[in-house]
Amino acid sequence: MTGDLFESVADPRTCQQSIAEGAVLLRAFARSVEQDLIAALHDIITHTPFRHMSTRSGHQMSVAMTNCGDAGWVTDRSGYRYDGIDPQSGKPWPEMPSVFRELAGRAAAAAGFDDFLPDACLINRYQPGARMSLHQDRDERDFGNPIVSVSLGLPAIFLFGGPERSDRPRRFRLEHGDIVVWGGPSRLFFHGVAPLADGEHNLLGHQRINLTFRKAH
Ligand code: SIN
Ligand code: FE2
């Protein structure tokens, strides 16, 4: 896939940018609820702290993770799965706060996907140097629902490729409050995050937090 096919169709009024067919970057969309998001996040991580999970091959991920909602995404030596129980505590993940759910629904609708009702919110913490290699989100039951991905804290370079792993990804700088929604024709596109550069964010310090909303079941 060539890099310029869907290049930067920006609408200055809405700050919406189409980045591929079915994929939209909503600039600063989460800013209006940032305080509530961060308060809810702190609440969640006191119950279910961030942890570095391992992949099937035994490789420890540089991104630390936790979850809220009915279905938590986990990986360990047996592979990837959605699990209603936090394997670390043996208890269900915290409920998805309404400020999370409503934001995800509004962002999906703004991107053209009505009635998005996520049951899974993966919470990723990137400290300087942490990265996410190119992958597809394909552990969900129905690919008819989009992915809604909220960025908070330090800026990061989001890599957005195509349907094949070999498609050269384009790079988008995601800042605090930006949301990327992808679904429909780009639902299974490869994506990742370049190693996080150090910096200091006024609300979140030396880290980036990403909330990934999905309908898993
Ligand atoms: C992910 O694809 O799981 C994370 C994306 C991001 O951190 O922006
Ligand atoms: Fe992903």
Side-chain angles (χ1 to χ4, degrees), residues 22-60:
V24 181
L25 168 47
L26 304 163
R27 291 276 181 206
F29 197 92
R31 287 291 292 271
S32 61
V33 291
E34 64 188 7
Q35 300 290 351
D36 293 344
L37 289 176
I38 291 170
L41 177 68
H42 280 137
D43 217 40
I44 291 165
I45 62 179
T46 55
H47 291 97
T48 47
F50 286 114
R51 74 292 301 264
H52 292 273
M53 299 185 194
S54 293
T55 62
R56 190 197 289 273
S57 63
H59 173 81
Q60 197 184 58

Side-chain angles (χ1 to χ4, degrees), residues 122 124 126 132 135 137 149 158 191 193 208 210 212 214:
L122 171 65
N124 291 313
Y126 297 74
M132 179 85 68
H135 65 279
D137 286 13
S149 175
F158 182 59
H191 58 280
V193 176
R208 167 177 188 259
N210 166 262
T212 298
R214 309 187 186 103

